[in-house]
Amino acid sequence: MGVFRKKPVEIHAVQFDGSAASATEIIEWVLESGSRSARYHSEDRTMKIDTLEGTMTASAGDWIIQGVSGEHYPCKPDIFQATYDRVEV
């Protein structure tokens, strides 16, 4: 047993606002990246994102992250805020 620190890594992310326009931007990004797929569900304003761990649901306010292997997945805003700091480029 030991103590470990998560390695610092920069990621790309966009916040989903629940709108069709936001979903379209994210879907295009996911597909351009060669990742799996993402779909918008207008009836409940969510997205379904196919990840390495299976299909995950993103709700308005969730962040969509591109991981270190190019995969995409949703992250709840409180977890995102606790885990990531904005990098000025």
Side-chain angles (χ1 to χ4, degrees), residues 57-70:
T57 301
S59 301
D62 288 353
W63 286 86
I64 310 306
I65 296 173
Q66 182 178 26
V68 295
S69 298

Side-chain angles (χ1 to χ4, degrees), residues 27-39:
I27 290 166
E28 289 174 357
W29 175 47
V30 167
L31 296 178
E32 286 172 4
S33 303
S35 198
R36 298 177 182 264
S37 70
R39 299 163 302 288

Side-chain angles (χ1 to χ4, degrees), residues 19-62:
S19 71
S22 177
T24 299
E25 175 186 348
I26 292 166
I27 290 166
E28 289 174 357
W29 175 47
V30 167
L31 296 178
E32 286 172 4
S33 303
S35 198
R36 298 177 182 264
S37 70
R39 299 163 302 288
Y40 179 63
H41 294 268
S42 58
E43 59 280 351
D44 62 359
R45 298 172 35 111
T46 62
M47 291 187 70
K48 301 289 185 191
I49 301 174
D50 294 332
T51 73
L52 298 173
E53 288 81 30
T55 302
M56 298 179 78
T57 301
S59 301
D62 288 353

